[in-house]
Amino acid sequence: MSSRRRFVKTGGLALLGIGVGGIPTFLVRAAETEKLSALYKKKKILVCIFQRGAMDGLMAVTPFNDAYLQAARPTLFMTAAKAAGDAQLIDLDGHFGLHPSMKAFEQLFREKRLAVVHGIGSPNNTRSHFDAQDYMESGTPFNKGTSSGWLNRATGLLGHDATPFRAVSLTSSMPRSFYGTNPSVAISNLQDFAIQLKGNPAAAEMAAKNFEDLYGHTSSSLLNKTGKESFEAVKMLQSAAQSNYTPANNAVYPNNPLGNALKQIAQLIKMDVGLEVAFAESGGWDTHFNQGAATGIFARNVTDLSDSIVAFWKDIEAYQDDVTVMTMTEFGRTVKQNGTGGTDHGRASCNFILGNDVNGGIVHGNVQPLAIDNLEDGRDLAVTTDFRSVFSEVADKHLKISNDGVLFPDWKGSKIGVMK
């Protein structure tokens, strides 16, 4: 971990020593205008986690009083009844129950800092993973031609000076959400800086070379239009990153891709490098076979998800007022289980939003009784909340972005009150 003062001293001054020609433009501009502290000052930060593969929202947060769901899932349904033993759902409000493997979320929900939005999804009824993810990340569910991602557009609407680390994805490749003209960077690991940015097929071939060679052979297109500023900034970050990072408050991150990504996002937050939008991924949610109930594939996935997020939240305790975490998944699963103990591609799911400015302790949204007449196409939980209603509200209330016309073109919906 490195404080802002230490980061600027060890990274910034080291660069100052090599002459003005080698100093990143953003540092020169800041130094000349005495805005260095303003450029690096604590900002609001949005952390987005994409659950790729389509999470079964009806299993994560179950309407346990629904007799139709119980009949449709003879081996997958769980109850919140006290007599059920250790495998019971965690009763949130007398109607919805949290999966027992997400026990880590319960306290945050009771503290009213964690909210659930149920029945959330896309108005486009595709059941293709690729298309649904593309539509959600572009924020334009009926337009495949959109070149930018909604998070990239969000960074362009923030309205103030930024460092090259305003938008960072802790992934091996640039997510669709970050496509666009505003600077963003994908870093698979803070220690080795395996950078993969969209727009240049030579990136993989060049990854093993040092940064001087990488920069000299690729130009700004590989660095997503951040050019030499990003190149120098990465060198700064490399000098500041520490492999022996110790999380605060005895937080223990699961040793999985999401846990490792969130741990590194916590490092970036504590370095005060100007991070404002962060992105991470969680895979393995396409549970067609042997999904399991209290144990099994799904239970392991939600354990990893909730434990990773709670460890992150504990680690950044001193920054919690400035951070909001939001999950998303491309669609949900069928109400009825299939013949192999799993669920197939459906429509609506649920998502989780964590933060001190969240209207938490509530399961938001509208989930009707799961009788066939209420199901979309007679088989799926209906989408009653457009994902753009939630994403736009989080961006508006947390990041102070109110231009929905740019953020989500062609959307005319309303917000649902998930944020204070």
Side-chain angles (χ1 to χ4, degrees):
M1 183 181 68
S2 176
S3 67
R4 177 175 65 82
R5 290 186 181 88
R6 182 180 175 192
F7 176 79
V8 172
K9 181 178 179 181
T10 60
L13 290 182
L15 286 173
L16 290 173
I18 65 175
V20 174
I23 304 171
T25 304
F26 77 90
L27 279 182
V28 175
R29 183 174 65 250
E32 290 176 346
T33 60
E34 298 182 349
K35 289 182 179 179
L36 186 60
S37 61
L39 196 59
Y40 280 90
K41 74 179 182 180
K42 194 180 294 184
K43 307 285 189 184
K44 295 293 185 181
I45 301 164
L46 175 62
V47 179
C48 291
I49 301 169
F50 206 115
Q51 297 171 257
R52 300 200 185 276
M55 181 188 72
D56 184 356
L58 289 171
M59 177 159 274
V61 181
T62 303
F64 58 81
N65 295 324
D66 195 302
Y68 301 102
L69 181 62
Q70 183 173 6
R73 297 186 169 196
T75 65
L76 299 183
F77 184 83
M78 288 182 288
T79 178
K82 296 297 183 183
D86 293 338
Q88 68 189 25
L89 297 167
I90 300 166
D91 189 344
L92 296 179
D93 58 6
H95 180 63
F96 287 102
L98 187 68
H99 193 282
S101 293
M102 304 182 91
K103 174 71 175 175
F105 272 173
E106 182 181 10
Q107 182 176 345
L108 293 172
F109 186 86
R110 306 296 185 204
E111 292 172 352
K112 302 185 185 304
R113 294 198 279 179
L114 177 71
V116 180
V117 180
H118 222 311
I120 188 173
S122 172
N124 189 306
N125 63 5
T126 181
R127 291 183 174 85
S128 159
H129 290 297
F130 178 83
D131 287 344
Q133 290 181 24
D134 185 83
Y135 289 140
M136 185 166 281
E137 293 194 76
S138 69
T140 55
F142 293 104
N143 185 354
K144 272 198 169 186
T146 304
S147 60
S148 60
W150 79 274
L151 287 175
N152 189 274
R153 295 194 296 275
T155 62
L157 293 170
L158 287 170
H160 52 255
D161 286 344
T163 76
F165 298 107
R166 165 180 272 177
V168 177
S169 178
L170 265 295
T171 53
S172 60
S173 61
M174 186 67 73
R176 180 71 173 84
S177 301
F178 276 2
Y179 281 22
T181 58
N182 296 300
S184 55
V185 61
I187 304 173
S188 63
N189 187 287
L190 292 185
Q191 275 67 58
D192 59 26
F193 296 96
I195 299 177
Q196 302 289 326
L197 297 178
K198 77 177 185 73
N200 194 316
E205 179 182 346
M206 300 298 297
K209 298 193 175 185
N210 62 37
F211 284 107
E212 285 75 12
D213 286 344
L214 181 65
Y215 180 74
H217 285 82
T218 59
S219 81
S220 62
S221 62
L222 177 61
L223 294 177
N224 201 19
K225 302 185 184 301
T226 60
K228 193 171 183 178
E229 286 188 5
S230 280
F231 165 63
E232 295 290 355
V234 166
K235 291 174 69 177
M236 287 173 58
L237 188 57
Q238 187 175 28
S239 69
Q242 297 183 12
S243 59
N244 60 341
Y245 173 71
T246 301
N249 300 310
N250 297 313
V252 178
Y253 288 89
N255 186 21
N256 59 46
L258 179 60
N260 292 331
L262 289 178
K263 179 164 66 176
Q264 294 180 87
I265 290 171
Q267 287 181 264
L268 290 174
I269 291 172
K270 294 177 183 182
M271 286 178 183
D272 287 338
V273 295
L275 180 66
E276 295 180 72
V277 179
F279 187 94
E281 297 176 335
S282 170
W285 297 96
D286 197 16
T287 50
H288 287 284
F289 311 99
N290 301 321
Q291 182 169 317
T295 61
I297 297 170
F298 185 88
R300 290 194 297 272
N301 285 347
V302 290
T303 298
D304 288 346
L305 177 74
S306 55
D307 286 358
S308 296
I309 292 174
V310 170
F312 169 76
W313 193 248
K314 188 176 182 180
D315 189 9
I316 62 158
E317 182 179 25
Y319 297 80
Q320 287 175 358
D321 286 344
D322 298 309
V323 179
T324 293
V325 181
M326 180 172 69
T327 68
M328 58 190 76
T329 193
E330 64 263 37
F331 45 70
R333 318 295 299 185
T334 50
V335 171
K336 184 179 177 62
Q337 70 180 72
N338 61 30
T340 58
T343 50
D344 298 319
H345 297 180
R347 290 289 289 117
S349 186
C350 70
N351 79 327
F352 302 93
I353 307 169
L354 171 63
N356 290 345
D357 53 0
V358 171
N359 187 11
I362 298 172
V363 180
H364 298 263
N366 179 19
V367 176
Q368 294 294 314
L370 298 172
I372 290 179
D373 289 347
N374 292 331
L375 303 184
E376 191 164 331
D377 297 332
R379 53 173 264 173
D380 299 320
L381 175 64
V383 173
T384 51
T385 297
D386 189 313
F387 71 85
R388 294 170 293 183
S389 296
V390 177
F391 294 6
S392 64
E393 183 174 353
V394 171
D396 182 5
K397 297 293 187 180
H398 186 67
L399 297 178
K400 308 305 179 187
I401 296 172
S402 58
N403 192 338
D404 289 335
V406 172
L407 197 59
F408 296 108
D410 303 322
W411 177 68
K412 306 296 183 183
S414 59
K415 299 173 173 63
I416 67 169
V418 73
M419 302 294 288
K420 294 178 180 175

